[in-house]
Amino acid sequence: MKGFTAMKWRSTEPSVAPVSSLELARWQFGITTLYHFIFVPVTIGLAICVAFFQTRWYRTGEEHWLRSTRFWGKLMLISFALGVATGIVQEFQFGMAWSNYSRFVGDIFGAPLAMEGLAAFFVESTFLGLWIFGWGRLSKRVHLACAWLVAGSTALSAFFILAANSWMQHPVGYKLEGGKAVLTDIGSVLFNSTALFAFAHTILAALLTAGMILIAVSAWHLRRGNETRVFGDAMRLGLPMVTIAAIVTVFVGHFNGILMSHQQPMKMAAADAVFETKKGAGLSLFATGDLKSNPGGLNRNIEIPQLLSWISTGYPNGEIKGINNLNREYQRKYGPGNYTPIVAIAYWTWRAMLGCAALMLLFGAYGWWLLHKGKLERSKRFLTFAVPAVALPFVASATGWLFTEMGRQPWAVFGLLKTNVANSPSVSAAEIWITLVGFTLLYGVLAAIAGRVFLKTVKKGPVEAGKAEEPGQELALAY
Amino acid sequence: MDAYTALQVVWFVLISILWLGYFLLEGFDFGVGMLIRAVAHDKEERRAVLHTIGPIWDGNEVWLLVAGGATFAAFPQWYATLFSGFYLALFLILVGLIVRNVSFEFWGKIDSDSWRSRWEWALIFGSFMPALLWGVGWANIVHGVPIDAHHEYTGTLFDLLNPYALLGGLATLTLFLTHGAIFLNLRTTGEIGKRAKRIAATVAPVTAVVGIAFLTWTVASHRGGVDAGSAILAAVSALALIAAAILADRNPARAFAATGAAILTFFLALFVDLFPHTMVSSTSSAFDMTLNVSASSSYTLTVMTVVAVLLVPVVLVYQAWTYWVFRHRVSAEDFGEVRTPLDLIDKARGEHPGERPPEPAGPGS
């Protein structure tokens, strides 16, 4: 038994070329998805903030709200452009690099993607065009409605995509027919418990991300005494938003953890490197040693007693199934093979995500307290720290996705389709090398340019009170 | 087994409509993109050119995304075979589309001539690649590509670059170029419009020759004899191409209708030619993929039909409304003076007094 569990993932598969097209396709998928998801929460979150600022302007007519709307709107648009550009790759790459996956799940997976296009993406892109170019052409009320339609439809977009992804985590509403998954109940797919939690989690993450950006940018300017009105407004929105979103995330995350223990116990076991089933398991904060094999190789340094059981089951003495027990169970159920994800990745990504969330909660609460006491603008320490702190939500999102996707391995669709048979048989490793290098270079160049434009826009600050902006920045915000 | 069911035909038609909408709308975006440096010579003129499609290009591109999503949902086997088979060609299209998308957004972000000129070239490249390659791709789909018994593509990128497909690519490239030039003539005033008109008048006859040659080849090479429906549509398309060539420097509105009709009938001829298949195998006709072989279950198709019936009309209404809102002609003079949104609101109020209820007072109003 010991020898078996020590086997590495996929070692039962026949060994192929040094880097197989499968490995390359996985790298490409991972890079594209993580890159795309840099922009998704920024766009969703900032769209909501921009619509909020514009509503304040609509209600009060005070110019500083308009200047806020336009300033944050510009930043949102930079993110939106890159999100759209990478979103197309995201949609196409299932067919391009994962054709066997597409054949297997198409009956189910395609539906939410098509719905996203029809119900959300058309709205998003059309009304964004109206919002950008509609100043002066549309009445204030209609123009404001455009801002909210953009904010609402970006969030709706995420819902459909997460419904599709959640089906991979926890397939529901299907039957197997002729070697393919066939849809039997669209309601179960769209309102899959996994999808509802993932949606809540993602929207909260978007609010956290946007909040941290509001705070970082405002802190940079407030430290220099610029535009205290506009950036004070942003702080008054951003700090409570981050604090509350982080608190709610803790609760949603807790119930999400319980759900995941039922639906994907292996992922949860890997998240805490629990190799043998036990009751009242403690939450490990830091572990060293060989995370690949048996507890003998694992050296726990710090552990909070019973917390893991509480997080995963809701009871301090709840049972946590161990990786080895689950692996044996899956072998009986699905046939010979290794059903263990890379434990080290699951263990550390899960901790990185939770750690970032905890830091954001403390950071937001401290800033809110400073704001409440009226000390925020004088707290150099907070304002200085706030700028690098903007990395936290991005690290949390990236590690969160790495955890949820890599923790599901070896499955592409949990219990139904393994990743190593999901890629395109007609696409060679050489072809994927070309696109992998091509996309990665393109993403890198665009990230550098977008970063430069983003920072320039940030440093420039909002349009001067009562004055026009330079040509190229006026009128359309974008063109 | 039948080649298709009624629901599958509904979805083949709907996906065809999505592609038609995409090419009709994004067709002129591609044309405008390719022509930005040819029709506009300074910063103000180029900004005006960008403003002719600025509010709408993103909405136009969604037709493609929905066509892709709908193909995945309704014909997953088609989606899988096509997208994995045309892997590198789609990669080139995606690179073009990405570069094009960001060039719109970044062009005005830094005030320097070299910055702007770099993004103009990016826009030209990003419009040229898909305008050419969509034609190459669709010509190959209709004409047939090497596909084996497991519905897997067995060729390479170079199998896609055959003479017939390259002629198809040239046809869509020139068609979109003409469509875009006429669109610019229609949507702008002054020098830009004049230059666009000259270009349209030069390119339109070439487009007609290339387009008719390609359509003739398509009709003549249809497997199992000439398909009457496809032939009639190709003939209509040929007439529209000739009409566009004649009208290009006479009447921009009619010329635009002619290129629009030419694009629609051009692709309709291809879709009718393809029906009832989704992919044609040049290896053996036994490996051709019918609608039935490619399609999702009837339950999925029913669900998607309900969604489409509810949403497509709404989409059409608000997209049409966008075109109505931005119907005004654009001119380089519009971009000489610097204005804020507040000034624009004032201006709009001055133009249409009493059209809207009084707004809450803001500074500048």
Side-chain angles (χ1 to χ4, degrees), chain A residues 12 96 138 141 158 168 171 221 231 255 263 274 282 303 311 328 343 347 369 372 420 475 478:
Chain A
T12 52
M96 288 170 70
L138 302 168
R141 183 193 289 268
M168 300 167 74
H221 278 289
F231 292 114
F255 290 108
Q263 295 176 346
V274 175
E303 190 174 287
I311 289 177
R328 283 191 290 273
V343 178
Y347 181 90
W369 179 78
H372 182 70
N420 60 8
L475 192 68

Side-chain angles (χ1 to χ4, degrees), chain A residues 28 63 70 81 88 91 95 103 107 121-123 125-126 136-137 139-140 186 426 435 469 472 474-475 479, chain B residues 47 57 61-62 65 69 77 79 81 87 104-105 151 296-297 299-300 318 322 328 338-339 344 348 356 360:
Chain A
Q28 179 167 284
E63 200 210 9
R70 296 185 59 209
I88 309 175
E91 191 200 36
R103 292 184 201 282
D107 202 62
F121 207 56
F122 261 130
V123 179
S125 54
T126 308
R137 288 207 198 280
S139 74
K140 276 186 188 172
I186 186 70
S426 64
T435 59
E469 288 193 275
E474 91 300 358
L475 192 68
Y479 299 157
Chain B
R47 177 167 289 133
W57 71 266
E61 193 172 278
V62 178
L65 279 157
Q77 305 306 315
Y79 171 79
T81 304
Y87 187 82
F104 286 113
E105 306 293 339
H151 302 155
S296 284
S297 64
Y299 175 74
T300 299
Y318 63 67
T322 311
H328 310 274
V338 174
R339 290 174 307 190
L344 282 171
R356 283 189 290 276

Side-chain angles (χ1 to χ4, degrees), chain A residues 66-280:
Chain A
L66 174 65
R67 294 165 67 224
S68 292
T69 307
R70 296 185 59 209
F71 175 72
W72 299 107
K74 271 184 218 167
L75 298 182
M76 188 261 287
L77 287 174
I78 296 167
S79 166
F80 187 89
L82 284 156
V84 171
T86 49
I88 309 175
V89 183
Q90 198 67 6
E91 191 200 36
F92 278 29
Q93 70 174 342
F94 294 109
M96 288 170 70
W98 300 95
S99 67
N100 274 345
Y101 170 82
S102 304
R103 292 184 201 282
F104 181 81
V105 302
D107 202 62
I108 297 159
F109 195 82
L113 257 56
M115 287 180 196
E116 188 230 1
L118 281 168
F121 207 56
F122 261 130
V123 179
E124 196 174 318
S125 54
T126 308
F127 285 92
L128 189 74
L130 280 160
W131 185 75
I132 298 171
F133 291 88
W135 297 97
R137 288 207 198 280
L138 302 168
S139 74
K140 276 186 188 172
R141 183 193 289 268
V142 173
H143 192 250
L144 177 64
C146 290
W148 279 109
L149 278 166
V150 171
S153 57
T154 49
L156 187 63
S157 216
F159 173 75
F160 286 112
I161 297 307
L162 290 165
N165 177 267
S166 296
W167 193 83
M168 300 167 74
Q169 316 288 349
H170 177 58
V172 287
Y174 72 97
K175 62 180 179 203
L176 288 178
E177 208 175 82
K180 286 172 198 139
V182 176
L183 183 64
T184 57
D185 182 5
I186 186 70
S188 335
V189 172
L190 291 179
F191 302 105
N192 187 348
S193 53
T194 323
L196 299 179
F197 274 104
F199 180 62
H201 193 82
T202 304
I203 295 301
L204 289 164
L207 291 174
L208 273 173
T209 309
M212 292 301 285
I213 291 177
L214 289 183
I215 294 167
V217 170
S218 304
W220 191 87
H221 278 289
L222 290 176
R223 182 112 188 349
R224 286 157 184 78
N226 303 337
E227 295 285 355
T228 49
R229 184 68 220 240
V230 166
F231 292 114
D233 288 341
M235 281 291 195
R236 279 185 286 279
L237 176 64
L239 288 168
M241 196 161 88
V242 165
T243 315
I244 294 167
I247 292 171
V248 180
T249 306
V250 170
F251 284 98
V252 171
H254 170 62
F255 290 108
N256 206 357
I258 295 175
L259 191 69
M260 201 191 289
S261 304
H262 285 294
Q263 295 176 346
Q264 300 179 79
M266 181 63 98
K267 194 188 279 183
M268 215 55 216
D272 211 60
V274 175
F275 285 87
E276 301 298 338
T277 299
K278 63 173 153 182
K279 289 184 176 168

